[in-house]
């Protein structure tokens, strides 16, 4: 079955706090299937070590209002191309 995805939210800016008390800011894009059964969350501007804190913030503040409780979600943290290193996407373990 073809599950076409569409962009539900683009470049949503949010703030988060790490367990060590550092504040950060990142953006998130949320893609979702038409039926709402699957979603892909893309984090940008979030250091690798802060991805868990950013995901926790989104799970508590933003995602519950946009996704059904039974939605399967994949979360990716994008890290841009830097000198000599290719752009990468890290699949986050906190994907629901």
């Amino acid at each position: 079955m073809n599950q076409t995805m569409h962009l539900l939210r683009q470049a949503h800016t949010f703030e988060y706090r790490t367990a060590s008390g550092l504040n950060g800011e990142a953006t998130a894009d949320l893609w979702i299937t038409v039926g709402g059964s699957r979603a892909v969350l893309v984090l940008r501007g979030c250091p690798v070590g802060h991805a868990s804190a950013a995901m926790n913030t989104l799970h508590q503040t933003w995602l519950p209002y946009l996704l059904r409780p039974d939605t399967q979600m994949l979360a990716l943290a994008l890290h841009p191309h830097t000198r000599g290193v290719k752009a990468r996407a890290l699949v986050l373990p906190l994907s629901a």
Side-chain angles (χ1 to χ4, degrees):
M1 182 166 133
N2 183 8
Q3 296 212 355
T4 304
M5 299 194 100
H6 67 279
L7 187 60
L8 186 63
R9 294 287 188 271
Q10 183 175 18
H12 169 74
T13 302
F14 66 98
E15 294 178 352
Y16 61 89
R17 182 180 294 256
T18 66
S20 61
L22 296 173
N23 293 325
E25 184 175 280
T27 61
D29 298 336
L30 184 62
W31 294 82
I32 191 164
T33 57
V34 174
S37 63
R38 297 184 71 203
V40 175
L41 176 73
V42 181
L43 293 177
R44 289 188 170 89
C46 181
V48 174
H50 295 188
S52 177
M55 281 296 300
N56 285 337
T57 297
L58 290 175
H59 274 295
Q60 295 172 11
T61 61
W62 188 57
L63 292 172
Y65 299 100
L66 297 174
L67 300 177
R68 299 184 331 218
D70 62 337
T71 299
Q72 294 179 356
M73 188 182 77
L74 174 66
L76 303 171
L78 291 185
H79 303 288
H81 171 72
T82 57
R83 191 179 308 181
V85 179
K86 293 181 180 180
R88 302 273 187 221
L90 174 68
V91 178
L92 299 175
L94 293 175
S95 298

